[in-house]
């Protein structure tokens, strides 16, 4: 439950109760009286002494073991002005400004010098107007209270006139059965709170304060004067509202002795006492318990949803809501959600991109390390490639050359020699090898046919297989010299099919062979 400190400011003292107030339930835990007695008591609160008074109050509360908590303050009826306001029925958001305007017309103070709050009254006038009770407090009193709380180190939670606090305390006494309740709360009943420097009289109906008067201290000093004061207040209220006369009077004091017994036979209505502290704080005794009616009533008032009158936070007019405001706010909310979702999605994409970048950077480093490790092998591979680029597949060359030979056995190859061509100083070669073939034939045309076949197959795409092919003739022996370019094994694409030559063609005929051997050809 929420803890509060309730302070009732009187001109001759301060009455403090500490307790909890929440959800319609108030509980008094401690009570402290700082009034004239053994010591001179506190001075009347003003702007000049507010700070020192707050510091002294802080020390007294600390000495009493009362912990710090939000503060509720009640001020006496003599410090506020009550005005009954009648106003046309307007929207709730415009009502505070209208009530304030009506109240300012009935007081002489400047609007900048006062604080105005109000409480709506039940029912309407015969003209259909609404009723409200406006309460006016001078701003210098509120400023002094704020300064006192600041100096004491407390947060000011509310400032309420004492009659409203006392009324809430009496309603709490009805609820806890510490005071006999009236037959119906719709009836009018009065409450009298008595203090060292005077008292206050208020009339309550429907749980609302509808009439209030201050009772001066000299009146409390004489029973006849107090009786006359109460009778006068009863008559004034009956004249204002004859249909709801006061049916009972409640006096904030402990026990039937005191004013209760003396006024019971004098005012003509039932008189009942009630204990504001409701049995709490047993160290406070006698009629002094009645002085805590305002402070105890503050806790009871705070136990409700809001204080009926709160000068610390008075009712204010509210700005009219634009008809499209809700749609605009909804659109703005949707836009914010979309932006947030887009930001989250973008962040996720950025994280994914960053993760991929890190992965690629790691892979790049690994590949660079692999390249660094393979650089010596690459040089070796390039050296092998360069060495192999000078190699000629002589068996394939011999195989292709045999396929180019003319048909028949009229030309024989007597020599097939290949010699590698060394590169020059710049590492360049015209071709990879030099090929020399010696041929024996009695038919020179067949040598020319072989040359033609070599030239016909010489070019494969843009690549020349043989460079500088030439023929040298010496009687029946011919020499073909050419330079051979390297070919890869898959570039040898010939598939020859030929019969092997007659190996005995050039051998000497046997001695007993006929002179005209039909198979012999010189």
């Amino acid at each position: 439950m929420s803890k509060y400190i309730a302070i009732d400011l009187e001109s001759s003292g301060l009455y403090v109760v500490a307790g909890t107030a929440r959800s319609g339930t108030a509980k008094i835990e401690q009570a402290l009286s700082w009034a004239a007695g053994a010591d001179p008591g506190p001075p009347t609160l003003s702007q000049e002494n507010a700070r020192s008074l707050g510091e002294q109050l802080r020390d007294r509360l600390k000495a009493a073991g009362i912990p710090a908590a939000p503060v509720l303050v009640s001020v006496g009826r003599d410090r506020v002005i009550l005005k009954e306001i009648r106003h046309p029925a307007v929207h709730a958001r415009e009502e505070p400004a209208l009530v304030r305007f009506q109240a300012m017309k009935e007081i002489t103070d400047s609007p900048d010098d006062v604080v105005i709050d109000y409480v709506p009254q039940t029912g309407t006038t015969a003209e259909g107007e609404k009723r409200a009770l406006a309460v006016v407090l001078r701003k210098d009193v509120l400023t002094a209270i704020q300064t006192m709380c600041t100096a004491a180190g407390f947060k000011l939670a509310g400032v309420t006139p004492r009659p409203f606090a006392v009324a809430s305390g009496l309603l709490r006494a009805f609820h806890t059965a510490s005071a006999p309740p009236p037959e119906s709360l719709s009836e009018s009943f009065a409450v009298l709170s008595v203090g060292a420097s005077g008292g206050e009289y208020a009339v309550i109906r429907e749980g609302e304060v509808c009439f209030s008067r201050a009772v001066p201290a000299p009146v409390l000093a004489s029973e006849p004067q107090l009786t006359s004061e109460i009778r006068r207040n009863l008559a004034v209220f009956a004249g204002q509202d004859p249909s709801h006369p006061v049916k009972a009077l409640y006096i904030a004091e402990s026990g039937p002795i005191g004013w209760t017994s003396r006024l019971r036979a004098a005012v003509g209505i039932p008189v009942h006492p009630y204990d504001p502290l409701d049995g709490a704080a047993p160290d406070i005794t006698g009629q002094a318990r009645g002085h805590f009616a305002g402070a105890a009533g503050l806790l009871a008032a705070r136990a409700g949803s809001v204080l009926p009158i709160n000068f610390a936070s008075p009712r204010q007019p509210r700005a009219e809501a634009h008809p499209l405001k809700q749609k605009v706010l909804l659109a703005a909310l949707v836009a914010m959600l979309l932006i947030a979702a887009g930001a989250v999605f973008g962040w996720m994409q950025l994280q994914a991109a960053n993760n991929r970048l890190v992965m690629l950077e790691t892979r790049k480093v690994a590949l660079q390390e692999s390249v660094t490790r393979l650089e010596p092998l690459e040089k070796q591979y390039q050296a092998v490639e360069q060495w192999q680029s000078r190699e000629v597949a002589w068996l394939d060359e011999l195989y292709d050359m045999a396929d180019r030979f003319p048909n028949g056995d009229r030309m024989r190859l007597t020599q097939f020699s290949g010699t590698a061509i060394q590169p020059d100083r710049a590492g360049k070669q015209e071709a990879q090898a030099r090929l020399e073939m010696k041929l024996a034939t009695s038919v020179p045309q067949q040598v020319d046919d072989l040359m033609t076949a070599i030239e016909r197959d010489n070019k494969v795409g843009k690549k020349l297989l043989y460079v500088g092919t030439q023929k040298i003739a010496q009687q029946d022996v011919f020499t073909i010299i050419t330079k051979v370019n390297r070919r890869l094994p898959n570039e040898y694409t010939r598939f020859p099919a030929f019969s092997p030559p007659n190996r005995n063609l050039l051998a000497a005929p046997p001695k007993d062979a006929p002179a005209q051997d039909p198979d012999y050809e010189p």
Side-chain angles (χ1 to χ4, degrees):
M1 299 181 70
S2 301
K3 290 185 174 294
Y4 291 93
I5 296 175
I7 303 174
D8 186 13
L9 291 177
E10 285 196 6
S11 59
S12 61
L14 274 72
Y15 298 92
V16 182
V17 296
T20 57
R22 186 179 181 185
S23 303
T25 303
K27 181 180 179 181
I28 299 173
E29 297 176 348
Q30 293 173 281
L32 173 67
S33 173
W34 183 18
D39 54 15
T44 301
L45 177 66
S46 65
Q47 288 186 318
E48 290 74 19
N49 63 16
R51 182 171 298 280
S52 62
L53 186 62
E55 294 173 351
Q56 295 178 58
L57 176 61
R58 176 194 60 200
D59 296 338
R60 285 181 174 268
L61 292 178
K62 185 177 180 180
I66 299 177
V71 172
L72 304 170
V73 178
S74 69
V75 294
R77 171 65 178 82
D78 56 344
R79 293 202 175 191
V80 298
I81 301 173
L82 271 65
K83 291 292 183 180
E84 184 176 344
I85 303 298
R86 298 182 179 186
H87 61 87
V90 294
H91 197 281
R93 61 174 174 266
E94 301 173 356
E95 188 178 83
L98 181 58
V99 171
R100 178 181 174 84
F101 174 74
Q102 293 285 74
M104 289 305 303
K105 293 194 302 182
E106 300 188 20
I107 61 176
T108 58
D109 295 280
S110 169
D112 297 331
D113 296 334
V114 295
V115 181
I116 299 177
D117 199 4
Y118 73 97
V119 58
Q121 300 287 297
T122 58
T124 58
T125 64
E127 294 79 12
E129 293 181 318
K130 300 183 79 173
R131 299 167 53 247
L133 185 62
V135 187
V136 184
L137 177 70
R138 290 192 59 83
K139 191 170 291 185
D140 56 352
V141 177
L142 178 61
T143 303
I145 294 173
Q146 292 171 335
T147 303
M148 179 189 70
C149 293
T150 301
F154 300 142
K155 176 183 177 182
L156 181 62
V159 178
T160 300
R162 187 180 297 121
F164 292 87
V166 173
S168 297
L170 180 58
L171 294 175
R172 173 177 175 268
F174 293 159
H175 180 73
T176 60
S178 60
E183 294 182 1
S184 174
L185 291 180
S186 61
E187 298 178 354
S188 299
F189 52 92
V191 58
L192 175 65
S193 60
V194 179
S197 58
E200 293 183 2
Y201 175 89
V203 178
I204 306 168
R205 187 176 71 249
E206 299 286 353
E208 301 172 354
V209 176
C210 52
F211 181 84
S212 178
R213 290 287 187 273
V215 179
V219 173
L220 293 175
S222 170
E223 182 178 341
Q225 291 187 31
L226 179 59
T227 303
S228 299
E229 180 74 15
I230 293 176
R231 286 175 177 174
R232 185 183 306 111
N233 289 337
L234 290 173
V236 171
F237 181 76
Q240 293 179 355
D241 193 357
S243 61
H244 297 90
V246 175
K247 296 296 184 67
L249 173 64
Y250 295 85
I251 301 178
E253 60 182 5
S254 178
I257 61 174
W259 288 112
T260 302
S261 59
R262 285 179 279 177
L263 295 176
R264 185 168 287 165
V267 297
I269 58 175
V271 180
H272 308 286
Y274 79 96
D275 182 6
L277 296 178
D278 194 17
D283 55 318
I284 307 295
T285 60
Q287 297 303 312
R289 297 178 70 85
H291 297 172
F292 289 87
L298 283 173
L299 283 184
R302 188 63 187 86
S305 57
V306 292
L307 295 174
I309 296 293
N310 187 358
F311 293 114
S313 179
R315 289 176 172 85
Q316 298 290 342
R318 301 191 304 272
E320 182 178 1
H322 194 277
L324 296 179
K325 183 177 180 180
Q326 186 174 3
K327 294 182 179 179
V328 172
L329 291 177
L330 182 60
L333 179 60
V334 172
M336 292 177 62
L337 290 176
L338 290 176
I339 293 174
V344 172
F345 178 75
W347 179 82
M348 293 175 63
Q349 293 295 317
L350 182 60
Q351 286 296 110
N354 288 337
N355 294 339
R356 178 170 175 78
L357 180 60
V358 171
M359 180 189 70
L360 292 177
E361 288 288 345
T362 304
R363 184 179 178 186
K364 177 183 176 183
V365 171
L367 292 176
Q368 288 177 341
E369 293 176 353
S370 298
V371 169
T372 303
R373 289 195 305 267
L374 294 175
E375 280 181 355
L377 297 178
E378 181 183 8
K379 293 180 179 179
Q380 295 175 8
Y381 178 77
Q382 290 176 352
V384 171
E385 282 286 320
Q386 185 178 7
W387 178 75
Q388 287 183 341
S389 65
R390 300 172 184 172
E391 181 183 18
V392 176
W394 290 113
L395 290 178
D396 288 326
E397 288 291 340
L398 181 60
Y399 192 83
D400 280 6
M401 199 61 70
D403 189 38
R404 296 188 186 101
F405 260 62
N407 293 328
D409 290 333
R410 293 178 177 248
M411 184 173 64
R412 295 296 177 94
L413 178 64
T414 61
Q415 180 180 333
F416 186 93
S417 61
T419 305
I421 299 177
Q422 297 300 322
D424 58 13
R425 293 182 178 180
K428 296 182 179 180
Q429 293 175 289
E430 184 181 5
Q432 277 69 53
R434 180 177 181 276
L435 173 61
E436 180 178 344
M437 294 184 295
K438 289 187 179 296
L439 305 168
T441 182
S442 59
V443 184
Q445 182 59 40
Q446 290 205 346
V447 178
D448 294 337
D449 291 342
L450 179 59
M451 290 285 290
T452 301
I454 291 173
E455 290 297 330
R456 183 176 60 245
D457 300 338
N458 188 32
K459 193 171 185 181
V460 178
K462 296 182 179 181
K463 183 177 181 180
L464 293 176
L465 304 181
Y466 305 100
V467 180
T469 304
Q470 58 179 329
K471 179 183 69 174
I472 300 174
Q474 293 178 349
Q475 296 181 358
D476 293 338
V477 177
F478 297 86
T479 302
I480 296 178
I481 300 174
T482 186
K483 296 176 181 177
V484 182
N485 281 317
R486 179 176 181 267
R487 277 189 286 171
L488 297 176
N490 59 356
E491 294 179 342
Y492 291 92
T493 58
R494 304 178 70 90
F495 299 96
F498 53 86
S499 300
N502 187 351
R503 297 182 180 274
N504 298 323
L505 179 61
L506 298 180
K511 294 181 180 181
D512 54 351
Q516 298 296 329
D517 187 347
D519 294 329
Y520 172 74
E521 291 183 5

